[in-house]
Amino acid sequence: MEKYLPFISVVICTRNRSKQLYDALSTFKRLSYSGPWEMVIVDNSSTDGTYEVALNFALDSGMNVRVIKENRVGLSCARNAGVNSTKGDIVAFTDDDCYPRKNYLSAIADVFQDPSIDFCGGRVMLFDKNDRRVTIQEDKEIKLFGAGEFIPSGWIHGANMICRRNVLLKINGFDERLGAGTRFKSGEDTDLLRRLSFLGSKGRYSPEICVFHHHGRKTDSEEILLRKGYDRGIAAVMVKGIVNPNTRSICLRNWYWSLRHAPLSRKLRQFYFGMLFWLSAGPTLNRILRHPSFLDQKD
């Protein structure tokens, strides 16, 4: 039986990374894949010449690369714009400071040989050993996620996350209230994966799909700031799940266990930003309830 070689679209969103971007994008030239693929670079309202760097790469690379602009600041806005511009059956998301292994695309294709898999993620390794051990996922074991399963934060990172394009469109993509560039800093990847799972999609964590993250954080203050941002996103996503009667119980239970032994400062921070997300939707919660996460999509 002939192997299925899907058309893969790699979406890379970037903002004000003109000095580092070209070198990062150049690592994609070494990829080995027999099937069709493209790269979509989304400039998220940069002010430092990032757009020109991306255009020059597109012209010089000899690859199938498109550069688009998204002027609304926010990673979720940029990723949604990227998805809307893609042509592939499979959409792979990674960051502008990540370098893929040579077999990155072929490893993605291997996972999607299984037609029941709608989303997957892979390893995110530390590129610079002097960087803090944060924003990485080094687990070497395959993990399957059944339909309706609660996806824990951090199992699949937005820096190495792949979905079928049709399921992304089905749920209207990323929640643009979440992620880098918003008040809640993070959580857009976890939110999207949980919505997919709760609506019946199956997924997989595959360590063979691997990128190296060159995040550059080296100090205590940088790590603390990052973790505080994670707390904001975790809280917002948990509140979204709690508001939904269909997922309230599983989200309440998992939030309790995740915070049971956490420091008081972390508990208070998550409760505060959870309430802030709740209140930001308006007194009647109509804005939350209208979001695709909470629509009954059985029709």
Side-chain angles (χ1 to χ4, degrees), residues 79-200:
R79 282 182 168 163
N80 284 339
V83 171
N84 290 334
S85 183
T86 57
K87 299 177 181 178
D89 305 313
I90 308 298
V91 181
F93 300 97
T94 189
D95 290 345
D96 58 0
D97 54 3
C98 288
Y99 313 141
R101 270 193 178 162
K102 186 177 180 179
N103 71 334
Y104 171 73
L105 294 172
S106 57
I108 290 172
D110 287 344
V111 169
F112 287 99
Q113 299 302 304
D114 183 346
S116 72
I117 298 296
D118 282 335
F119 64 87
C120 71
R123 278 192 289 174
V124 182
M125 306 291 287
L126 202 63
F127 177 78
D128 184 344
K129 303 302 181 184
N130 294 316
D131 286 351
R132 292 300 177 106
R133 295 185 57 77
V134 293
T135 67
I136 56 175
Q137 162 57 296
E138 298 176 313
D139 201 287
K140 296 180 180 179
E141 299 297 322
I142 293 171
K143 181 174 175 59
L144 298 176
F145 299 98
E149 186 172 340
F150 181 90
I151 312 289
S153 298
W155 250 108
I156 294 178
H157 288 232
N160 193 2
M161 181 173 73
I162 309 97
C163 302
R164 294 190 189 274
R165 188 175 189 271
N166 64 324
V167 299
L168 290 172
L169 298 178
K170 180 180 177 181
I171 63 167
N172 293 337
F174 293 88
D175 185 337
E176 295 178 356
R177 296 168 295 180
L178 301 173
T182 72
R183 178 187 296 181
F184 299 99
K185 303 291 186 183
S186 64
E188 82 293 340
D189 46 4
T190 300
D191 170 67
L192 181 134
L193 294 171
R194 285 183 191 165
R195 285 190 282 133
L196 286 175
S197 177
F198 291 150
L199 288 172

Side-chain angles (χ1 to χ4, degrees), residues 150 191 194 198 234-256 258-259 270-271 274-275 277-278 285 288-289 293-294:
F150 181 90
D191 170 67
R194 285 183 191 165
F198 291 150
I234 288 169
V237 175
M238 284 296 194
V239 165
K240 285 188 65 174
I242 291 167
V243 169
N244 182 356
N246 297 323
T247 58
R248 180 172 297 148
S249 176
I250 192 171
C251 289
L252 275 172
R253 185 165 63 250
N254 278 276
W255 203 7
Y256 167 78
S258 71
L259 289 177
Q270 288 200 18
F271 291 151
M275 289 302 299
F277 183 81
W278 182 301
L285 296 180
I288 286 183
L289 294 171
S293 324
F294 300 113

Side-chain angles (χ1 to χ4, degrees), residues 66 76 101 139 223 242 273 279:
R66 289 195 309 285
S76 288
R101 270 193 178 162
D139 201 287
E223 181 175 345
I242 291 167
F273 282 102
L279 294 173

Side-chain angles (χ1 to χ4, degrees), residues 259-272:
L259 289 177
R260 187 181 181 194
H261 299 298
L264 179 61
S265 59
R266 188 179 182 207
K267 293 175 182 176
L268 292 175
R269 184 161 52 246
Q270 288 200 18
F271 291 151
Y272 171 78

